[in-house]
C-alpha cells in the first residue's frame, strides 16, 4: 500500500479484519464457522444466515446461474469423494459417484430470500465456499483500504488480487506476473 504511513498501516489492519471476518464465516474446516453450522443443521431445518454469509450465498447463486450450473457451492460431497480434502488411494466407484451426485445441485435447496434462510432438501448436502470466499474477502479488503484513503497498492490473497485505482508512485501502471502453468 502506498500513501501516508499511518493511513497505510490503518488500512492494512482494516483489510486484515475483513479477511478474518470472511474466514470466520466461510471456513468449512472450522467447526465454529457459520457455514459449518449451516452444513450441520440445514438438512433438519432452515438455517438463518447472517449478512455476510447471505451475501456470499447470493453471489454464489448468481454465478451458478451465469455458468449454467458449472459454479456450484454444493459440490462438497464430490470434492470429499475425490480426495480434495484428504488423499484417496483409489478412484471412487461409479456407485459412490452417483451417491455423491445425488447430494449436489443448487436446485436441491430452498432459499427464502425474505427470511434469509437456506434448507437442504437432501441429507448429506454441504457447502464448500472455497471457490468464492477468497475473492469475496479480497474485494472487501480492497474496499476497506479505499475507505482508509489509500488509492495505490495491491491487495493480494494468494493470487486473488485487486490493484487499486492508482499505480505505485513513479509508475504508469502495475506489473503483475502470471506463472506459466506448465
Amino acid at each position: 500500500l502506498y500513501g501516508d504511513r499511518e493511513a497505510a498501516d490503518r488500512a492494512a489492519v482494516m483489510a486484515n479484519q475483513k479477511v478474518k471476518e470472511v474466514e470466520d464465516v466461510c471456513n468449512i474446516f472450522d467447526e465454529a464457522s457459520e457455514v459449518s453450522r449451516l452444513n450441520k443443521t440445514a438438512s433438519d431445518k432452515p438455517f438463518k444466515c447472517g449478512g455476510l454469509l447471505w451475501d456470499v450465498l447470493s453471489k454464489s447463486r448468481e454465478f451458478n446461474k451465469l455458468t449454467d450450473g458449472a459454479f456450484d457451492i454444493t459440490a462438497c460431497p464430490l470434492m470429499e469423494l475425490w480426495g480434495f480434502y484428504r488423499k484417496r488411494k483409489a478412484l471412487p466407484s461409479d456407485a459412490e459417484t452417483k451417491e455423491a451426485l445425488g447430494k449436489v445441485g443448487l436446485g436441491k435447496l430452498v432459499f427464502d430470500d425474505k427470511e434469509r434462510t437456506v434448507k437442504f432438501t437432501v441429507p448429506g448436502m454441504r457447502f464448500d465456499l472455497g471457490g468464492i470466499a477468497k475473492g469475496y474477502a479480497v474485494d472487501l479488503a480492497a474496499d476497506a483500504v479505499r475507505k482508509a484513503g489509500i488509492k495505490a497498492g495491491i491487495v493480494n490473497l494468494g493470487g486473488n488480487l485487486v490493484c487499486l485505482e492508482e499505480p505505485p508512485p513513479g509508475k504508469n501502471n502495475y506489473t503483475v506476473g502470471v506463472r506459466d502453468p506448465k
Side-chain angles (χ1 to χ4, degrees):
L1 303 177
Y2 298 91
D4 174 74
R5 178 66 181 208
E6 283 184 31
D9 287 345
R10 219 174 26 253
V13 168
M14 292 169 57
N16 282 319
Q17 287 173 338
K18 291 299 180 183
V19 171
K20 179 82 169 98
E21 286 175 29
V22 174
E23 182 180 12
D24 288 347
V25 169
C26 298
N27 183 356
I28 65 167
F29 302 107
D30 176 0
E31 290 189 16
S33 74
E34 188 175 1
V35 74
S36 289
R37 294 192 319 270
L38 181 155
N39 281 341
K40 286 179 192 167
T41 63
S43 289
D44 300 325
K45 62 183 180 182
F47 183 90
K48 179 117 174 121
C49 300
L52 190 148
L53 181 58
W54 188 255
D55 195 39
V56 171
L57 296 180
S58 296
K59 289 187 183 327
S60 297
R61 290 164 66 192
E62 289 175 33
F63 293 130
N64 181 269
K65 188 174 181 178
L66 284 170
T67 62
D68 292 324
F71 180 81
D72 192 338
I73 59 174
T74 67
C76 191
L78 283 170
M79 294 175 70
E80 187 173 67
L81 177 67
W82 281 88
F84 280 78
Y85 307 129
R86 285 190 206 132
K87 297 289 181 206
R88 280 184 64 114
K89 294 186 190 241
L91 293 176
S93 69
D94 288 345
E96 289 174 308
T97 302
K98 184 177 180 181
E99 181 183 342
L101 282 169
K103 300 173 188 174
V104 173
L106 283 183
K108 296 176 180 143
L109 302 172
V110 177
F111 286 98
D112 183 332
D113 292 316
K114 184 178 178 187
E115 295 297 320
R116 290 185 167 190
T117 63
V118 62
K119 170 100 170 63
F120 297 147
T121 63
V122 176
M125 291 188 82
R126 292 183 313 285
F127 288 143
D128 181 317
L129 302 176
I132 191 168
K134 199 191 302 186
Y136 184 84
V138 80
D139 286 344
L140 290 184
D143 287 345
V145 167
R146 289 181 189 105
K147 286 178 184 166
I150 302 297
K151 296 178 182 174
I154 296 176
V155 179
N156 182 357
L157 293 178
N160 290 265
L161 59 91
V162 171
C163 297
L164 298 178
E165 289 70 22
E166 295 179 10
K171 301 213 174 191
N172 293 327
N173 51 38
Y174 290 93
T175 301
V176 177
V178 177
R179 183 182 306 188
D180 184 338
K182 297 179 183 176

